[in-house]
Amino acid sequence: MTEPTTQAPVTSKAVRRQHDREIVSLALPAFGALVAEPLFLMVDSAIVGHLGTPQLAGLAIAAALLSTAVSVFVFLAYATTAAVARRMGAGDLPAAIRQGMDGIWLALLLGAVVVVLTLPTAPWVVDLFGGSDTASPYAVTYLRISSLGIPAMLVVLAATGVLRGLQDTRTPLYVAIAGFAANGALNAGLVYGAGLGIAGSAWGTVIAQYGMAVSYLVVVVRGARRHGASLRPDPAGIRASAQAGVPLLVRTLSLRAVLMIATAVAAHLGDAEVAAHQIILSLWSLMAFALDAIAIAGQAIIGRYLGADDADGARQVCRRMVQWGVVSGVVLGALLIAARPLFIPLFTSDASVQDTLLPALFVVAVSQPISGVVFVLDGVLMGAGDGPYLAWAMLLTLVVFAPVALLVPTLGGGLTALWWAMTLMMTVRMGTLWFRMRSGRWIVTGATR
């Protein structure tokens, strides 16, 4: 009678340790790769900033447009991760790699379309964004040249999804580090050594992006040849990849709308409020990288379990990842409060901005455990290929958030009230995702959903 009683907890602990090892082994490299990406822009800004204020302002406009365009296509990574992980879980590596190639071909097609649209419309888009007469020419130059790198950027997204689906987050980390180093060296050499100015910065980034894309393609092509997977474009497979990506595109656009509304509301509150909001948004985004790394691990692991017809394993790892999300959120919130005397002076010395910032910062810290659950469950449902539900859930969240946020200037409360509205947004997301998780409808096993 006593043997089963003592054995069960040991088994349970062993399973948790196994899940923890998997999560850490995938999430840590993923976090490194995620943090490396925004460093590209930081290097560009640091180098271009010494050319002059108009050049830096032009870079800011072009970079915002480029990052928005690329973030819209992040579904190339998410959808590919889920599809490849399922095939891998089912034990069909050739089909997994073939699925990944479909995503890469789709990335090339979408990238070509974006380039064709961007080159002639760059001046109009920059004007629409509100560029000044002095900054706009630099923005147009940087945007046109950098748009040539968009196909490479999208290939990197899709190929990253392939490797994540194959449970490999280390290779993307190594490629990101190499790309960051190459970008810095090329920018410095072309901007100052060759005297190309802001155009040199754009060309340096484009070259680094194509270098990263080629590195990924070498890894994927080698895997395809090793397992006998075809590299030719498959129209049916490309269409299937596009169809799987549409709901995630809707989800991403809805989330971008939330962030745009929040920034617009902050701008209406006043200069101190919008400055403080920008600081908080930067910190919120940094913490999101840590939580998103756990979500990426969730995409890969859940897809593999479902592909292997292991519904119980998927449920168990989902529960464990939710625990990781809560604990990570608590830790990040505590660090945010504890470290505020260190980082606030780095962002601003303006007393009015600091006074506006502090109360809203506490709201953000308190809401981090909610964010942890949201990011994890988002990753779980993406890994399960439950894109349509994620799209509808995010649209519902947008519908709830928009009127509440837009009423903030009228009802008062300033920036703190706006971030309570953001917390409401995250709470609604958590509610919709938790409901789906508890329903079990996301659990669809097999090599395809």
Side-chain angles (χ1 to χ4, degrees), residues 326-339:
V326 173
V327 172
S328 299
V330 170
V331 170
L332 288 171
L335 286 174
L336 187 66
I337 295 302

Side-chain angles (χ1 to χ4, degrees), residues 24 30 32 102 138 152 213 218 237 259 271 273 294 301 330 332-333 348 363 383 435:
V24 170
D102 292 336
Y138 295 111
V218 168
L259 298 177
D271 290 345
E273 284 78 4
I294 303 174
I301 296 171
V330 170
L332 288 171
T348 180
V363 176
F435 172 79

Side-chain angles (χ1 to χ4, degrees), residues 245-325:
V246 168
L248 296 180
L249 174 62
V250 172
R251 167 202 166 275
T252 301
L253 290 174
S254 301
L255 182 56
R256 296 292 298 188
V258 164
L259 298 177
M260 288 174 64
I261 289 171
T263 300
V265 170
H268 278 88
L269 295 175
D271 290 345
E273 284 78 4
V274 74
H277 174 75
Q278 185 58 39
I279 294 170
I280 293 177
L281 198 59
S282 299
L283 295 167
W284 192 72
S285 299
L286 180 62
M287 291 185 292
F289 284 134
L291 299 174
D292 203 26
I294 303 174
I296 286 169
Q299 293 172 33
I301 296 171
I302 291 294
R304 194 187 77 230
Y305 272 102
L306 294 178
D309 293 323
D310 189 353
D312 288 338
R315 289 190 186 92
Q316 289 175 10
V317 77
C318 175
R319 286 194 293 269
R320 189 58 177 165
M321 296 196 75
V322 168
Q323 293 170 3
W324 269 80

Side-chain angles (χ1 to χ4, degrees), residues 146-174:
S146 292
S147 69
L148 299 176
I150 287 178
M153 295 165 74
L154 299 190
V155 166
V156 167
L157 284 176
T160 300
V162 176
L163 296 180
R164 288 174 182 170
L166 295 174
Q167 318 297 294
D168 176 10
T169 55
R170 291 183 181 274
T171 300
L173 172 61
Y174 300 148

Side-chain angles (χ1 to χ4, degrees), residues 316-387:
Q316 289 175 10
V317 77
C318 175
R319 286 194 293 269
R320 189 58 177 165
M321 296 196 75
V322 168
Q323 293 170 3
W324 269 80
V326 173
V327 172
S328 299
V330 170
V331 170
L332 288 171
L335 286 174
L336 187 66
I337 295 302
R340 70 188 189 281
L342 299 176
F343 64 75
I344 289 179
L346 295 177
F347 284 104
T348 180
S349 57
D350 189 322
S352 63
V353 174
Q354 291 184 359
D355 291 342
T356 304
L357 174 68
L358 277 172
L361 199 65
F362 278 97
V363 176
V364 175
V366 169
S367 68
Q368 283 309 294
I370 297 173
S371 297
V373 175
V374 168
F375 275 82
V376 165
L377 291 181
D378 217 31
V380 166
L381 297 186
M382 283 183 190
D386 205 10

Side-chain angles (χ1 to χ4, degrees), residues 205-271:
T205 301
V206 168
I207 294 169
Q209 288 162 347
Y210 273 98
M212 292 173 67
V214 169
S215 300
Y216 276 116
L217 289 175
V218 168
V219 174
V220 174
V221 169
R222 282 178 179 172
R225 288 176 175 169
R226 188 182 310 122
H227 296 286
S230 173
L231 297 172
R232 295 179 180 177
D234 175 19
I238 295 172
R239 280 197 303 272
S241 295
Q243 289 169 356
V246 168
L248 296 180
L249 174 62
V250 172
R251 167 202 166 275
T252 301
L253 290 174
S254 301
L255 182 56
R256 296 292 298 188
V258 164
L259 298 177
M260 288 174 64
I261 289 171
T263 300
V265 170
H268 278 88
L269 295 175
D271 290 345

